[in-house]
Amino acid sequence: MAAKRVLVTGAGGFIGHHLVSYLTRQGYWVRGADQKRPEYGDTAAQEFLVADLRDPAACTAAAEGIEDVYHLAADMGGIGYITAQRATIARNNTLMNIGMLEAAQAAGVHRFLFSSSACVYPHHLQTDADVSPLREDDAWPAQPEEGYGLEKLFMEKLCEYYASDLDLATRVVRFHNVYGPLGTYDGGREKAPAAISRKIALIEDGGEIEVWGDGEQTRSFMHVDDCVEGICRIMESGYGKPLNLGTDEMVTVNELVDIVAAAAGKRVRKRHDRTKPQGVRGRNSDNTRLREILGWEPRIMLREGIVPTYRWIAAQVTPQPAERVAEPQLSPMAV
Ligand code: NAD
């Protein structure tokens, strides 16, 4: 039997690159599409389309002959970037999302998965560090993150409409903070685990790093191996409504720093900068529905997953020739 042909958009990015590797290992024929090829290591995709997916013609070319679409391409970054670039982000993502939905529908693809975000959840439910975990139904009535979160919420609705009105089988996955090797770690688009790993890699034992806010803001963090496995399980599940994909292991940013410091084997002093954006005060994933639908949830603990992540970032910022693009593996115990 011929291998199933699938498309991963955003295949030059962090999660997309890992997803392509995972799908090819499962025996799929994969086309990657992105405006750039992966920065760290070559892609495993059988075909790679370098194109700007804001252009509808590029979306059409990407979807041609494809059975399933994993739509991950997005203009995004950490809290500093998404709070400073709302117009650009909302415009770019709206163009890409509508273009890909239209192209998928026109090409007659079977299934379309959209990578949404915990940024769709209302601000007023995330004002305490000791936050109640967020359930899927909490997204409405809406008060999402301006720009990036609002656009994701709109695309979630578009997926619902294309499913009900146009018979496109859609999946909507709300990722909660994904980290791991081969992700952006500098340049302003990196997220907290990568930024903190980079800062700690660059100091001596006992040195000081800057932490945004007072560090008591809370989050949960999911290792990218759990993320790609969850994506594929959700695609197969037949479940079309939004689903959280994250861990419910909530930590403060100060605790995250301590966990990275332990992985690095360094003592670290924290200098808090309260003028820097810190996003919502508290956020955690309620995985009740995920467990009901999949009988599975992410299981890599932050303390385990951060070790290969830190080592990979440390090797990038203090390069050793042989380590530059090597991808550290989790130990079998960790998964
Ligand atoms: P990433 O930035 O590493 O990957 C996104 C990719 O999209 C990049 O390679 C980028 O080049 C590509 N892209 C952007 N604009 C494009 C354009 N005009 N044409 C073609 N390609 C374009 O981000 P990621 O962390 O891999 O995130 C993947 C998806 O998951 C995104 O939709 C993101 O919003 C979502 N998400 C990620 C997280 C996280 O913690 N990483 C959390 C919530 C949601």
Side-chain angles (χ1 to χ4, degrees), residues 15-152:
I15 303 170
H17 183 41
H18 283 274
L19 180 61
V20 166
S21 303
Y22 186 86
L23 288 166
T24 52
R25 286 200 300 272
Q26 306 296 313
Y28 291 93
W29 182 96
V30 182
R31 176 183 297 147
D34 201 300
Q35 62 190 355
K36 63 170 175 65
R37 296 183 74 89
E39 283 160 56
Y40 315 113
D42 202 5
T43 181
Q46 280 81 355
E47 208 176 279
F48 199 99
L49 178 67
V50 177
D52 184 344
L53 294 171
R54 293 173 300 179
D55 174 4
C59 296
T60 302
E64 203 224 323
I66 290 297
E67 290 176 63
D68 292 341
V69 174
Y70 299 82
H71 177 43
L72 272 62
D75 187 355
M76 64 95 65
I79 190 67
Y81 180 73
I82 65 171
T83 49
Q85 301 292 338
R86 295 181 306 192
T88 305
I89 289 172
R91 181 197 63 228
N92 289 348
N93 291 342
T94 303
L95 290 170
M96 269 189 275
N97 290 342
I98 293 180
M100 275 317 307
L101 263 181
E102 267 303 288
Q105 162 73 14
V109 311
H110 299 161
R111 302 183 294 193
F112 183 99
L113 181 142
F114 172 58
S115 54
S116 187
S117 165
C119 288
V120 300
Y121 286 114
H123 268 267
H124 62 85
L125 297 179
Q126 304 174 80
T127 52
D128 273 346
D130 188 19
V131 64
S132 296
L134 294 157
R135 290 165 303 142
E136 285 79 357
D137 295 341
D138 290 335
W140 296 92
Q143 191 196 9
E145 182 74 42
E146 288 285 346
Y148 175 74
L150 180 61
E151 196 283 325
K152 289 279 190 201

Side-chain angles (χ1 to χ4, degrees), residues 197-216:
S197 295
R198 184 197 72 234
K199 290 175 186 179
I200 291 181
L202 289 171
I203 58 164
E204 302 294 329
D205 183 27
E208 182 179 270
I209 67 160
E210 180 186 273
V211 178
W212 288 14
D214 65 0
E216 290 304 307

Side-chain angles (χ1 to χ4, degrees), residues 240-251:
K241 293 187 186 155
L243 260 187
N244 282 332
L245 183 58
T247 77
D248 52 12
E249 183 198 359
M250 190 169 78
V251 294

